[in-house]
């Protein structure tokens, strides 16, 4: 399994190399990657309209938090620390 958060896979070149070692000779691997910030029927980013519910709810909390951080003009975090 390939895990991830907000559409970002939890691996890099080495991880994809390891995944490819499990593909059959002459076979193929299909990796679908996309963000899941969500968009409601009313085109609200960060919300998702679910069938059977009369209102839009929040999409992925981590993705919504990152979106709000960026939209507020905050600097990107220093991931080296």
């Amino acid at each position: 399994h390939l895990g991830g958060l907000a559409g970002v896979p939890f691996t890099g070149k080495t991880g994809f190399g390891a995944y490819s070692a499990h593909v059959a000779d002459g076979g193929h691997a299909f990796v679908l990657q996309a963000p899941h910030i969500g968009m409601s029927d009313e085109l609200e980013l960060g919300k998702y309209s679910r069938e059977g519910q009369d209102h839009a709810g929040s999409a992925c909390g981590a993705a919504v938090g990152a979106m709000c951080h960026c939209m507020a003009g905050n600097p990107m975090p220093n991931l080296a620390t």
Side-chain angles (χ1 to χ4, degrees):
H1 294 117
L2 175 63
L5 179 62
V8 180
F10 286 152
T11 191
K13 288 181 181 181
T14 302
F16 276 106
Y19 293 135
S20 68
H22 297 279
V23 176
D25 292 342
H28 302 278
F30 179 78
V31 177
L32 175 66
Q33 184 262 338
H36 61 280
I37 188 66
M39 184 182 296
S40 72
D41 291 341
E42 290 78 30
L43 306 180
E44 298 171 282
L45 287 176
K47 295 189 175 185
Y48 185 76
S49 300
R50 292 171 174 87
E51 189 174 331
Q53 295 185 0
D54 63 356
H55 63 282
S58 181
C60 172
V64 171
M67 177 187 74
C68 291
H69 178 86
C70 293
M71 290 179 69
N74 294 316
M76 295 299 291
N78 182 355
L79 301 177
T81 59

